Each structure stands twice: as C-alpha cells, then as structure tokens.
Amino acid sequence: MLAKGVTKCKTQDIARSSGRLLIWNMDIIEFFEANAGKWLSQRTHHHLAMSRSESGKAEVQIEPLTASHPAVIQLCQHGNLDTDRALCGVRITWNGMMAAETRQQTGTSLLVALQSGNDRQSGQLLQQNGRKDLLTGRYTLGSDEVLTLITEAESWYLEERLWLAGPNLRLRTSLLQQAGGFQSAAFCSEIRIGGGQTPAQSQPEVATTP
Amino acid sequence: MLAKGVTKCKTQDIARSSGRLLIWNMDIIEFFEANAGKWLSQRTHHHLAMSRSESGKAEVQIEPLTASHPAVIQLCQHGNLDTDRALCGVRITWNGMMAAETRQQTGTSLLVALQSGNDRQSGQLLQQNGRKDLLTGRYTLGSDEVLTLITEAESWYLEERLWLAGPNLRLRTSLLQQAGGFQSAAFCSEIRIGGGQTPAQSQPEVATTP
C-alpha cells in the first residue's frame, strides 16, 4: 500500500508528488520468483576462435528459495558469510544433451544472492555446482531488467546475462573466457512448460526530494 | 575537462563532491562509435515452436555516421522528422549465409538515433533496410551498457539486444514475434577483424545536489 500522495512508477520512470520521489525496480527476489518453473531449453555454443557451433536441448527446473531455506543458510555458512545478508536463493536442475553427445547430462546448481549495499539490484553471489567448490561472484539487475551474473576462478571468467523476453520465454547468454585466451559464447532460448508462479509484490524504495 | 571538485564516475557509481553530483553513462553516439569496424559474425536462429535451430556466418561492416551526414539528414526528411533531433546514425552492411542456403545473402541497413528527452540513453529510432519501407522504433542504452532496439510493424515485433563483451567481441540477440504467435530468437557472436576506432570522449551530465 503506497502512502498518500506517492505514485508508484516502473523502471526508470520517476514521479514527483508532494515532494516525494519514488523509484520502482524489479529486485533480485522478484526476478528469481518470475523465473520459477520448468523450462524447455534450446542451447547453442559458439566456439569463437574456431568459428564453430554446436546445439542441444535440455529441461531446466528453477526453484526459488527464501532467505530462511536450509539450503540457503547452509551455503552462507559454507562460505563463512553472515546468513542475515542472504536475500534469496535459487536451485537450478537440468537434464539434457548436446547434439554430439550420446547420453543425457544432468546437474544441479545452487545460487544465493546476498545484500551488499542499500539496494537489491546488485550484490554478492554464492554459487555451488553439484559437489564442486563454492564460487563467489556478483549480480547486477539492470534498469532493463537484464540480470548479469559474474563468477570467476583462477583460470576462467564467466559472464551470464538472462532476462524474461515474455511471460513464458527466457533468453540467456553466457561468455566464458579461459586461460590462454579461449572464448566460448552460449545462447539459450527457453520456453516455460510448467510451474510458473506470480512474483511477490515489490517493496518500492522511497526517497525524499528537496 | 571536468570542473574542479567534480569527480567523473562510470555507470551507476555516484560521486558527491562539493555538493555536485555527476553521473557518467555511455551514450548512443559513443555506443555506435565503439561498434565501428568489420566483424566476423556467427549466427544461430532458434525457431521456438519447432525447437529447431540453424546456424550461419557473415561479415558485417559497421560505419558510424555523424548527425550531419547526408544519409542521416535524408532519412530524417524521409520520416518528416526535424533533422536537429538526429544524434547520430550507423550504416550496417552484411554478406553471409546460413548453413542451409546455397548462395550469399547481402544487405544494408541504415539506423538513425533521435533525441527524445534530456538524455542520450534512450530515444526514437529510424531504420531503413535496403529499399524497404522506413520503420520507426526506439532505443534504450541500459545502465549495464546493453543497447535494446525495438522496432515493430503491423504484423511483427522485433526486440534486439546488443553489447560489447570485450574490446573486439560483440554479442547480439534478437527476438522476432510475428502474427499468429510465431516466435524466433537469434544469437550472434561477433569478432572484430578490422577497422575499430576509439570512442569519442564522453560529455558527462552534471547535476547539482542539495
């Protein structure tokens, strides 16, 4: 419920009313909630130096988790980070294969978004893929509602961008840069085939203008 | 040259110094300049409903044009728009083919960005592909330096997103929605093979804070 005399505005629109300024942007919790469900994913890899591509398909299940979910708390503790900073998490499970493969690949990944400043549009990211080492990275949700995820390790750097192009259509790109200059870009177009949920109501930020 | 006591900041960083607030974002002119050159493009189309993909390659030449370039002025006049609103233009020429085709496809496209408000991060877009009808659309350069271009006609809607993922690496996605619900997504990864130029110096916006 908005205070009297305050107008709610969507991304980048700014309303001035009775000396109050209010800006509303989708935050990371709402973004993960809007991505919930089962998705049919078409994926293409471009191996940049070789100018060669390969394609595949997968089913991807996305399950948003609250900040108090045991898996979220456990991952924070694993990273020696204050659990109070956790905003939300997401568990991603996939099952599919590239055209050149002969058997299904399955996997699971757990991501936790942590509050780093005053907003919920950018912050620290914890990620664990299966039983592999814990990765730390960062996320930024742009004014265009594109989520950028950056994770890196000693020998590689991964930049992912993902957004909802429609209520049940998700697009994703990733760019992997490895030691020795090897680069690979990937693109996924994903259609939701079940299990979507309505995003929670946003909590707009309110600031006072002069 | 910045005024004394004012700090220049990159995207989304805000500096307060001696009561002055300064925000620097790449603008549309700098974006097109940073995209200048000859690019080797790998392209993949995903036909969403059929869950089928096809790939191809092309050479793409991108030539930024100033607001006073005859081609920019001519396109504004063609659209009955005030030439003073033109910020810049870009001429894109391509030559390539998809895997299933047997001969090269060539084409040219002219885009003009027009000032619509106080900033140079979003505004109106004029586009002409070859000798086809003039299209009007809009552009938005996000805080994450992703350029979103939207053009539409009676029977289709096209949303393109493009960004520089490195000094000589460009990624592009497009989503085409046609009458009858047909959707097609495309992804291009492009490596610059010549002709880049240094972006012009930015003109930061300066605002006074209380």
Side-chain angles (χ1 to χ4, degrees):
Chain A
M1 185 75 177
L2 295 177
K4 197 178 167 190
V6 176
T7 312
K8 184 175 171 182
C9 298
K10 210 164 177 283
T11 309
Q12 285 194 320
D13 291 333
I14 295 174
R16 291 167 192 274
S17 176
S18 306
R20 301 192 76 189
L21 170 68
L22 191 142
I23 303 171
W24 178 72
N25 278 320
M26 178 182 264
D27 69 23
I28 189 69
I29 302 173
E30 294 166 318
F31 186 89
F32 282 156
E33 283 170 345
N35 280 260
K38 194 177 197 176
W39 299 81
L40 190 61
S41 177
Q42 263 197 90
R43 168 183 278 263
T44 301
H45 282 271
H46 288 182
H47 301 280
L48 302 185
M50 291 175 283
S51 202
R52 188 170 61 80
S53 70
E54 54 173 335
S55 292
K57 289 175 192 172
E59 268 190 15
V60 179
Q61 181 79 43
I62 298 180
E63 181 195 357
L65 308 172
T66 63
S68 60
H69 191 283
V72 171
I73 292 173
Q74 200 176 5
L75 207 67
C76 289
Q77 287 169 341
H78 185 175
N80 292 320
L81 289 160
D82 183 358
T83 53
D84 287 348
R85 286 181 51 214
L87 291 171
C88 60
V90 66
R91 185 183 280 126
I92 303 163
T93 314
W94 65 92
N95 178 355
M97 61 184 184
M98 301 301 282
E101 292 168 344
T102 52
R103 61 177 190 155
Q104 296 273 325
Q105 302 287 330
T106 60
T108 184
S109 185
L110 180 65
L111 273 69
V112 170
L114 296 146
Q115 183 122 19
S116 294
N118 293 325
D119 66 25
R120 291 177 171 190
Q121 268 78 39
S122 61
Q124 201 178 355
L125 186 79
L126 288 182
Q127 183 170 353
Q128 187 159 40
N129 301 321
R131 293 176 183 275
K132 290 186 185 167
D133 287 345
L134 182 68
L135 300 167
T136 56
R138 55 192 191 275
Y139 67 90
T140 308
L141 191 51
S143 52
D144 47 9
E145 295 183 351
V146 174
L147 180 67
T148 303
L149 303 178
I150 293 172
T151 43
E152 53 193 314
E154 209 167 291
S155 60
W156 55 264
Y157 171 95
L158 179 67
E159 187 171 309
E160 294 174 271
R161 286 195 151 141
L162 47 152
W163 64 96
L164 289 170
N168 294 309
L169 176 61
R170 200 169 102 110
L171 299 180
R172 267 197 303 151
T173 67
S174 67
L175 177 68
L176 176 66
Q177 305 197 56
Q178 288 179 280
F182 175 80
Q183 288 182 320
S184 158
F187 176 59
C188 294
S189 58
E190 304 182 321
I191 294 171
R192 181 151 36 198
I193 52 174
Q197 65 186 62
T198 310
Q201 281 296 306
S202 68
Q203 294 297 318
E205 295 159 25
V206 179
T208 305
T209 51
Chain B
M1 184 77 177
L2 295 177
K4 197 179 168 190
V6 175
T7 312
K8 184 174 172 183
C9 296
K10 210 163 178 283
T11 310
Q12 282 193 323
D13 291 332
I14 295 173
R16 289 166 193 277
S17 178
S18 308
R20 301 191 78 188
L21 170 68
L22 189 142
I23 303 171
W24 178 71
N25 279 320
M26 178 182 262
D27 70 22
I28 188 69
I29 301 173
E30 293 165 319
F31 186 89
F32 282 155
E33 282 170 347
N35 280 261
K38 194 177 198 177
W39 299 81
L40 190 61
S41 177
Q42 262 197 89
R43 168 182 279 261
T44 301
H45 282 271
H46 288 182
H47 301 280
L48 302 185
M50 291 175 280
S51 201
R52 190 171 59 79
S53 70
E54 54 174 335
S55 292
K57 288 175 192 171
E59 269 191 13
V60 179
Q61 180 79 44
I62 299 180
E63 180 194 359
L65 308 173
T66 63
S68 60
H69 191 283
V72 171
I73 292 172
Q74 199 176 8
L75 207 68
C76 290
Q77 287 169 342
H78 184 176
N80 291 321
L81 289 160
D82 185 356
T83 54
D84 287 348
R85 285 182 52 216
L87 291 171
C88 59
V90 66
R91 184 184 281 127
I92 303 163
T93 313
W94 65 93
N95 177 355
M97 63 183 183
M98 301 300 282
E101 293 169 344
T102 52
R103 60 176 191 156
Q104 296 273 325
Q105 301 288 329
T106 59
T108 184
S109 184
L110 180 65
L111 274 69
V112 171
L114 297 147
Q115 182 121 20
S116 292
N118 293 326
D119 67 24
R120 290 177 171 189
Q121 268 77 41
S122 61
Q124 200 177 357
L125 186 78
L126 288 181
Q127 183 170 353
Q128 187 159 40
N129 300 322
R131 293 176 182 275
K132 290 185 183 168
D133 286 345
L134 181 69
L135 299 167
T136 58
R138 54 192 191 277
Y139 67 89
T140 308
L141 191 52
S143 52
D144 48 8
E145 296 184 350
V146 175
L147 180 67
T148 303
L149 303 178
I150 293 173
T151 43
E152 53 193 314
E154 209 167 291
S155 60
W156 55 264
Y157 171 95
L158 179 67
E159 187 171 309
E160 294 173 271
R161 285 194 152 144
L162 48 152
W163 63 95
L164 288 171
N168 294 309
L169 175 61
R170 200 168 101 110
L171 299 180
R172 267 196 304 152
T173 68
S174 68
L175 178 68
L176 176 65
Q177 305 197 55
Q178 288 178 280
F182 175 81
Q183 288 182 321
S184 159
F187 175 59
C188 295
S189 58
E190 303 181 322
I191 293 171
R192 181 151 36 197
I193 51 172
Q197 64 184 62
T198 310
Q201 281 296 306
S202 67
Q203 293 298 317
E205 296 159 24
V206 180
T208 304
T209 52

